[in-house]
PDB file of all heavy atoms in Angstrom:
ATOM      1  N   ILE A1028     -92.946 164.529  33.250  1.00  0.00           N
ATOM      2  CA  ILE A1028     -92.530 163.126  33.207  1.00  0.00           C
ATOM      3  C   ILE A1028     -91.110 163.044  33.756  1.00  0.00           C
ATOM      4  O   ILE A1028     -90.242 163.841  33.389  1.00  0.00           O
ATOM      5  CB  ILE A1028     -92.577 162.564  31.775  1.00  0.00           C
ATOM      6  CG1 ILE A1028     -94.010 162.620  31.229  1.00  0.00           C
ATOM      7  CG2 ILE A1028     -92.049 161.133  31.736  1.00  0.00           C
ATOM      8  CD1 ILE A1028     -94.116 162.270  29.756  1.00  0.00           C
ATOM      9  N   TRP A1029     -90.891 162.073  34.636  1.00  0.00           N
ATOM     10  CA  TRP A1029     -89.560 161.827  35.201  1.00  0.00           C
ATOM     11  C   TRP A1029     -88.990 160.577  34.541  1.00  0.00           C
ATOM     12  O   TRP A1029     -89.576 159.501  34.618  1.00  0.00           O
ATOM     13  CB  TRP A1029     -89.683 161.667  36.711  1.00  0.00           C
ATOM     14  CG  TRP A1029     -88.486 161.076  37.401  1.00  0.00           C
ATOM     15  CD1 TRP A1029     -87.182 161.146  37.012  1.00  0.00           C
ATOM     16  CD2 TRP A1029     -88.489 160.327  38.620  1.00  0.00           C
ATOM     17  NE1 TRP A1029     -86.367 160.493  37.906  1.00  0.00           N
ATOM     18  CE2 TRP A1029     -87.147 159.985  38.908  1.00  0.00           C
ATOM     19  CE3 TRP A1029     -89.495 159.930  39.504  1.00  0.00           C
ATOM     20  CZ2 TRP A1029     -86.788 159.238  40.040  1.00  0.00           C
ATOM     21  CZ3 TRP A1029     -89.129 159.205  40.617  1.00  0.00           C
ATOM     22  CH2 TRP A1029     -87.791 158.868  40.883  1.00  0.00           C
ATOM     23  N   ALA A1031     -86.166 157.771  34.537  1.00  0.00           N
ATOM     24  CA  ALA A1031     -85.281 157.194  35.553  1.00  0.00           C
ATOM     25  C   ALA A1031     -84.711 155.876  35.063  1.00  0.00           C
ATOM     26  O   ALA A1031     -85.448 155.020  34.572  1.00  0.00           O
ATOM     27  CB  ALA A1031     -86.037 156.986  36.862  1.00  0.00           C
ATOM     28  N   MET A1049     -96.275 156.386  43.673  1.00  0.00           N
ATOM     29  CA  MET A1049     -95.318 156.284  42.579  1.00  0.00           C
ATOM     30  C   MET A1049     -94.994 154.850  42.199  1.00  0.00           C
ATOM     31  O   MET A1049     -94.362 154.606  41.170  1.00  0.00           O
ATOM     32  CB  MET A1049     -94.022 157.027  42.941  1.00  0.00           C
ATOM     33  CG  MET A1049     -94.214 158.517  43.215  1.00  0.00           C
ATOM     34  SD  MET A1049     -94.993 159.399  41.833  1.00  0.00           S
ATOM     35  CE  MET A1049     -93.669 159.366  40.636  1.00  0.00           C
ATOM     36  N   SER A1051     -97.455 152.573  41.825  1.00  0.00           N
ATOM     37  CA  SER A1051     -98.669 152.016  41.231  1.00  0.00           C
ATOM     38  C   SER A1051     -98.541 151.949  39.710  1.00  0.00           C
ATOM     39  O   SER A1051     -97.739 152.681  39.112  1.00  0.00           O
ATOM     40  CB  SER A1051     -99.880 152.871  41.597  1.00  0.00           C
ATOM     41  OG  SER A1051     -99.823 154.115  40.895  1.00  0.00           O
ATOM     42  N   PRO A1052     -99.330 151.095  39.059  1.00  0.00           N
ATOM     43  CA  PRO A1052     -99.303 151.036  37.593  1.00  0.00           C
ATOM     44  C   PRO A1052     -99.645 152.358  36.917  1.00  0.00           C
ATOM     45  O   PRO A1052     -99.226 152.603  35.786  1.00  0.00           O
ATOM     46  CB  PRO A1052    -100.352 149.959  37.264  1.00  0.00           C
ATOM     47  CG  PRO A1052    -100.442 149.123  38.482  1.00  0.00           C
ATOM     48  CD  PRO A1052    -100.225 150.073  39.630  1.00  0.00           C
ATOM     49  N   ALA A1053    -100.385 153.229  37.618  1.00  0.00           N
ATOM     50  CA  ALA A1053    -100.759 154.513  37.028  1.00  0.00           C
ATOM     51  C   ALA A1053     -99.596 155.490  36.976  1.00  0.00           C
ATOM     52  O   ALA A1053     -99.586 156.411  36.151  1.00  0.00           O
ATOM     53  CB  ALA A1053    -101.907 155.134  37.818  1.00  0.00           C
ATOM     54  N   SER A1054     -98.594 155.290  37.831  1.00  0.00           N
ATOM     55  CA  SER A1054     -97.470 156.227  37.893  1.00  0.00           C
ATOM     56  C   SER A1054     -96.160 155.638  37.408  1.00  0.00           C
ATOM     57  O   SER A1054     -95.300 156.368  36.923  1.00  0.00           O
ATOM     58  CB  SER A1054     -97.280 156.725  39.336  1.00  0.00           C
ATOM     59  OG  SER A1054     -98.339 157.566  39.726  1.00  0.00           O
ATOM     60  N   GLU A1055     -95.978 154.334  37.556  1.00  0.00           N
ATOM     61  CA  GLU A1055     -94.709 153.689  37.213  1.00  0.00           C
ATOM     62  C   GLU A1055     -94.840 152.951  35.876  1.00  0.00           C
ATOM     63  O   GLU A1055     -95.659 152.053  35.738  1.00  0.00           O
ATOM     64  CB  GLU A1055     -94.311 152.703  38.316  1.00  0.00           C
ATOM     65  CG  GLU A1055     -92.983 152.022  38.060  1.00  0.00           C
ATOM     66  CD  GLU A1055     -92.620 151.058  39.172  1.00  0.00           C
ATOM     67  OE1 GLU A1055     -93.236 149.967  39.246  1.00  0.00           O
ATOM     68  OE2 GLU A1055     -91.741 151.406  39.979  1.00  0.00           O
ATOM     69  N   HIS A1056     -94.003 153.329  34.921  1.00  0.00           N
ATOM     70  CA  HIS A1056     -94.099 152.782  33.578  1.00  0.00           C
ATOM     71  C   HIS A1056     -92.720 152.286  33.131  1.00  0.00           C
ATOM     72  O   HIS A1056     -91.811 153.086  32.894  1.00  0.00           O
ATOM     73  CB  HIS A1056     -94.597 153.846  32.602  1.00  0.00           C
ATOM     74  CG  HIS A1056     -95.730 154.677  33.147  1.00  0.00           C
ATOM     75  ND1 HIS A1056     -97.030 154.231  33.188  1.00  0.00           N
ATOM     76  CD2 HIS A1056     -95.741 155.926  33.698  1.00  0.00           C
ATOM     77  CE1 HIS A1056     -97.798 155.167  33.721  1.00  0.00           C
ATOM     78  NE2 HIS A1056     -97.042 156.199  34.044  1.00  0.00           N
ATOM     79  N   VAL A1057     -92.564 150.962  33.030  1.00  0.00           N
ATOM     80  CA  VAL A1057     -91.324 150.402  32.488  1.00  0.00           C
ATOM     81  C   VAL A1057     -91.389 150.518  30.969  1.00  0.00           C
ATOM     82  O   VAL A1057     -92.316 150.013  30.335  1.00  0.00           O
ATOM     83  CB  VAL A1057     -91.153 148.932  32.906  1.00  0.00           C
ATOM     84  CG1 VAL A1057     -89.865 148.355  32.306  1.00  0.00           C
ATOM     85  CG2 VAL A1057     -91.137 148.801  34.421  1.00  0.00           C
ATOM     86  N   ILE A1058     -90.413 151.204  30.382  1.00  0.00           N
ATOM     87  CA  ILE A1058     -90.479 151.481  28.940  1.00  0.00           C
ATOM     88  C   ILE A1058     -89.475 150.675  28.134  1.00  0.00           C
ATOM     89  O   ILE A1058     -89.618 150.545  26.914  1.00  0.00           O
ATOM     90  CB  ILE A1058     -90.288 152.972  28.648  1.00  0.00           C
ATOM     91  CG1 ILE A1058     -88.899 153.452  29.078  1.00  0.00           C
ATOM     92  CG2 ILE A1058     -91.386 153.783  29.328  1.00  0.00           C
ATOM     93  CD1 ILE A1058     -88.515 154.798  28.523  1.00  0.00           C
ATOM     94  N   ALA A1059     -88.454 150.133  28.780  1.00  0.00           N
ATOM     95  CA  ALA A1059     -87.423 149.389  28.056  1.00  0.00           C
ATOM     96  C   ALA A1059     -86.578 148.636  29.073  1.00  0.00           C
ATOM     97  O   ALA A1059     -86.633 148.907  30.278  1.00  0.00           O
ATOM     98  CB  ALA A1059     -86.542 150.334  27.237  1.00  0.00           C
ATOM     99  N   LEU A1194     -85.771 150.524  32.557  1.00  0.00           N
ATOM    100  CA  LEU A1194     -85.807 151.963  32.355  1.00  0.00           C
ATOM    101  C   LEU A1194     -87.246 152.421  32.547  1.00  0.00           C
ATOM    102  O   LEU A1194     -88.179 151.814  32.016  1.00  0.00           O
ATOM    103  CB  LEU A1194     -85.305 152.330  30.961  1.00  0.00           C
ATOM    104  CG  LEU A1194     -83.875 151.881  30.620  1.00  0.00           C
ATOM    105  CD1 LEU A1194     -83.479 152.377  29.231  1.00  0.00           C
ATOM    106  CD2 LEU A1194     -82.880 152.357  31.671  1.00  0.00           C
ATOM    107  N   TYR A1195     -87.422 153.507  33.277  1.00  0.00           N
ATOM    108  CA  TYR A1195     -88.747 153.926  33.722  1.00  0.00           C
ATOM    109  C   TYR A1195     -89.088 155.334  33.252  1.00  0.00           C
ATOM    110  O   TYR A1195     -88.210 156.195  33.115  1.00  0.00           O
ATOM    111  CB  TYR A1195     -88.808 153.953  35.251  1.00  0.00           C
ATOM    112  CG  TYR A1195     -88.571 152.656  35.963  1.00  0.00           C
ATOM    113  CD1 TYR A1195     -87.279 152.229  36.249  1.00  0.00           C
ATOM    114  CD2 TYR A1195     -89.627 151.868  36.395  1.00  0.00           C
ATOM    115  CE1 TYR A1195     -87.037 151.040  36.936  1.00  0.00           C
ATOM    116  CE2 TYR A1195     -89.410 150.679  37.083  1.00  0.00           C
ATOM    117  CZ  TYR A1195     -88.119 150.271  37.351  1.00  0.00           C
ATOM    118  OH  TYR A1195     -87.893 149.108  38.040  1.00  0.00           O
ATOM    119  N   LEU A1196     -90.372 155.556  33.076  1.00  0.00           N
ATOM    120  CA  LEU A1196     -90.948 156.885  33.081  1.00  0.00           C
ATOM    121  C   LEU A1196     -91.935 156.930  34.241  1.00  0.00           C
ATOM    122  O   LEU A1196     -92.740 156.007  34.417  1.00  0.00           O
ATOM    123  CB  LEU A1196     -91.669 157.214  31.774  1.00  0.00           C
ATOM    124  CG  LEU A1196     -90.807 157.296  30.505  1.00  0.00           C
ATOM    125  CD1 LEU A1196     -91.675 157.612  29.299  1.00  0.00           C
ATOM    126  CD2 LEU A1196     -89.684 158.311  30.645  1.00  0.00           C
ATOM    127  N   TYR A1197     -91.877 158.001  35.026  1.00  0.00           N
ATOM    128  CA  TYR A1197     -92.798 158.176  36.148  1.00  0.00           C
ATOM    129  C   TYR A1197     -93.642 159.419  35.916  1.00  0.00           C
ATOM    130  O   TYR A1197     -93.149 160.450  35.438  1.00  0.00           O
ATOM    131  CB  TYR A1197     -92.034 158.338  37.462  1.00  0.00           C
ATOM    132  CG  TYR A1197     -91.481 157.045  38.009  1.00  0.00           C
ATOM    133  CD1 TYR A1197     -90.167 156.675  37.753  1.00  0.00           C
ATOM    134  CD2 TYR A1197     -92.270 156.195  38.779  1.00  0.00           C
ATOM    135  CE1 TYR A1197     -89.645 155.489  38.255  1.00  0.00           C
ATOM    136  CE2 TYR A1197     -91.765 155.004  39.278  1.00  0.00           C
ATOM    137  CZ  TYR A1197     -90.448 154.657  39.013  1.00  0.00           C
ATOM    138  OH  TYR A1197     -89.949 153.481  39.511  1.00  0.00           O
ATOM    139  N   THR A1198     -94.901 159.304  36.257  1.00  0.00           N
ATOM    140  CA  THR A1198     -95.819 160.448  36.201  1.00  0.00           C
ATOM    141  C   THR A1198     -96.561 160.531  37.528  1.00  0.00           C
ATOM    142  O   THR A1198     -96.792 159.518  38.185  1.00  0.00           O
ATOM    143  CB  THR A1198     -96.840 160.300  35.059  1.00  0.00           C
ATOM    144  OG1 THR A1198     -97.526 159.034  35.198  1.00  0.00           O
ATOM    145  CG2 THR A1198     -96.167 160.346  33.696  1.00  0.00           C
ATOM    146  N   ALA A1199     -96.934 161.752  37.908  1.00  0.00           N
ATOM    147  CA  ALA A1199     -97.774 161.939  39.089  1.00  0.00           C
ATOM    148  C   ALA A1199     -99.232 161.815  38.677  1.00  0.00           C
ATOM    149  O   ALA A1199     -99.622 162.226  37.579  1.00  0.00           O
ATOM    150  CB  ALA A1199     -97.514 163.301  39.718  1.00  0.00           C
ATOM    151  N   GLN A1208    -100.062 161.432  29.359  1.00  0.00           N
ATOM    152  CA  GLN A1208    -100.575 160.068  29.358  1.00  0.00           C
ATOM    153  C   GLN A1208    -100.643 159.501  27.949  1.00  0.00           C
ATOM    154  O   GLN A1208    -100.365 158.319  27.730  1.00  0.00           O
ATOM    155  CB  GLN A1208    -101.962 160.018  30.008  1.00  0.00           C
ATOM    156  CG  GLN A1208    -102.493 158.605  30.224  1.00  0.00           C
ATOM    157  CD  GLN A1208    -101.559 157.751  31.067  1.00  0.00           C
ATOM    158  OE1 GLN A1208    -100.980 158.219  32.048  1.00  0.00           O
ATOM    159  NE2 GLN A1208    -101.397 156.490  30.682  1.00  0.00           N
ATOM    160  N   ILE A1211     -97.202 158.301  27.177  1.00  0.00           N
ATOM    161  CA  ILE A1211     -96.904 157.035  27.864  1.00  0.00           C
ATOM    162  C   ILE A1211     -97.514 155.860  27.106  1.00  0.00           C
ATOM    163  O   ILE A1211     -96.868 154.829  26.897  1.00  0.00           O
ATOM    164  CB  ILE A1211     -97.425 157.067  29.316  1.00  0.00           C
ATOM    165  CG1 ILE A1211     -96.680 158.116  30.157  1.00  0.00           C
ATOM    166  CG2 ILE A1211     -97.313 155.679  29.949  1.00  0.00           C
ATOM    167  CD1 ILE A1211     -95.225 157.847  30.362  1.00  0.00           C
ATOM    168  N   GLU A1212     -98.764 156.004  26.692  1.00  0.00           N
ATOM    169  CA  GLU A1212     -99.429 154.921  25.963  1.00  0.00           C
ATOM    170  C   GLU A1212     -98.737 154.661  24.622  1.00  0.00           C
ATOM    171  O   GLU A1212     -98.614 153.511  24.193  1.00  0.00           O
ATOM    172  CB  GLU A1212    -100.903 155.253  25.749  1.00  0.00           C
ATOM    173  CG  GLU A1212    -101.729 155.201  27.025  1.00  0.00           C
ATOM    174  CD  GLU A1212    -101.635 153.854  27.722  1.00  0.00           C
ATOM    175  OE1 GLU A1212    -101.716 152.811  27.033  1.00  0.00           O
ATOM    176  OE2 GLU A1212    -101.461 153.835  28.950  1.00  0.00           O
ATOM    177  N   VAL A1214     -95.531 155.097  24.016  1.00  0.00           N
ATOM    178  CA  VAL A1214     -94.272 154.414  24.324  1.00  0.00           C
ATOM    179  C   VAL A1214     -94.498 152.927  24.554  1.00  0.00           C
ATOM    180  O   VAL A1214     -93.696 152.085  24.144  1.00  0.00           O
ATOM    181  CB  VAL A1214     -93.607 155.063  25.559  1.00  0.00           C
ATOM    182  CG1 VAL A1214     -92.418 154.236  26.037  1.00  0.00           C
ATOM    183  CG2 VAL A1214     -93.157 156.477  25.233  1.00  0.00           C
ATOM    184  N   GLN A1215     -95.613 152.570  25.195  1.00  0.00           N
ATOM    185  CA  GLN A1215     -95.900 151.167  25.496  1.00  0.00           C
ATOM    186  C   GLN A1215     -96.460 150.409  24.295  1.00  0.00           C
ATOM    187  O   GLN A1215     -96.517 149.180  24.314  1.00  0.00           O
ATOM    188  CB  GLN A1215     -96.894 151.073  26.661  1.00  0.00           C
ATOM    189  CG  GLN A1215     -96.403 151.695  27.960  1.00  0.00           C
ATOM    190  CD  GLN A1215     -95.340 150.856  28.656  1.00  0.00           C
ATOM    191  OE1 GLN A1215     -94.675 150.049  28.041  1.00  0.00           O
ATOM    192  NE2 GLN A1215     -95.177 151.059  29.953  1.00  0.00           N
ATOM    193  N   GLN A1231     -89.801 145.487  24.802  1.00  0.00           N
ATOM    194  CA  GLN A1231     -90.543 144.495  25.570  1.00  0.00           C
ATOM    195  C   GLN A1231     -91.522 143.703  24.711  1.00  0.00           C
ATOM    196  O   GLN A1231     -92.343 142.963  25.235  1.00  0.00           O
ATOM    197  CB  GLN A1231     -91.276 145.205  26.709  1.00  0.00           C
ATOM    198  CG  GLN A1231     -90.328 145.941  27.645  1.00  0.00           C
ATOM    199  CD  GLN A1231     -91.052 146.843  28.615  1.00  0.00           C
ATOM    200  OE1 GLN A1231     -91.385 146.441  29.738  1.00  0.00           O
ATOM    201  NE2 GLN A1231     -91.316 148.063  28.198  1.00  0.00           N
ATOM    202  N   ASN A1273     -95.615 145.536  38.249  1.00  0.00           N
ATOM    203  CA  ASN A1273     -96.208 146.402  37.226  1.00  0.00           C
ATOM    204  C   ASN A1273     -95.782 146.022  35.815  1.00  0.00           C
ATOM    205  O   ASN A1273     -96.577 146.055  34.883  1.00  0.00           O
ATOM    206  CB  ASN A1273     -95.840 147.859  37.497  1.00  0.00           C
ATOM    207  CG  ASN A1273     -96.507 148.397  38.754  1.00  0.00           C
ATOM    208  OD1 ASN A1273     -97.515 147.857  39.210  1.00  0.00           O
ATOM    209  ND2 ASN A1273     -95.950 149.455  39.319  1.00  0.00           N
ATOM    210  N   ARG A1277     -98.222 144.533  32.442  1.00  0.00           N
ATOM    211  CA  ARG A1277     -98.193 145.031  31.057  1.00  0.00           C
ATOM    212  C   ARG A1277     -97.700 143.936  30.109  1.00  0.00           C
ATOM    213  O   ARG A1277     -98.183 143.802  28.987  1.00  0.00           O
ATOM    214  CB  ARG A1277     -97.289 146.257  30.993  1.00  0.00           C
ATOM    215  CG  ARG A1277     -97.141 146.872  29.620  1.00  0.00           C
ATOM    216  CD  ARG A1277     -98.374 147.602  29.150  1.00  0.00           C
ATOM    217  NE  ARG A1277     -98.552 148.883  29.797  1.00  0.00           N
ATOM    218  CZ  ARG A1277     -99.317 149.860  29.302  1.00  0.00           C
ATOM    219  NH1 ARG A1277     -99.975 149.692  28.168  1.00  0.00           N
ATOM    220  NH2 ARG A1277     -99.469 150.992  29.951  1.00  0.00           N
TER     221      ARG A1277
END
Side-chain angles (χ1 to χ4, degrees):
I1028 299 172
W1029 165 28
M1049 300 304 290
S1051 71
S1054 290
E1055 182 180 74
H1056 317 281
V1057 179
I1058 63 166
L1194 301 183
Y1195 299 85
L1196 295 179
Y1197 283 96
T1198 55
Q1208 188 57 40
I1211 295 295
E1212 289 304 316
V1214 171
Q1215 300 286 22
Q1231 301 170 92
N1273 292 339
R1277 179 72 75 160

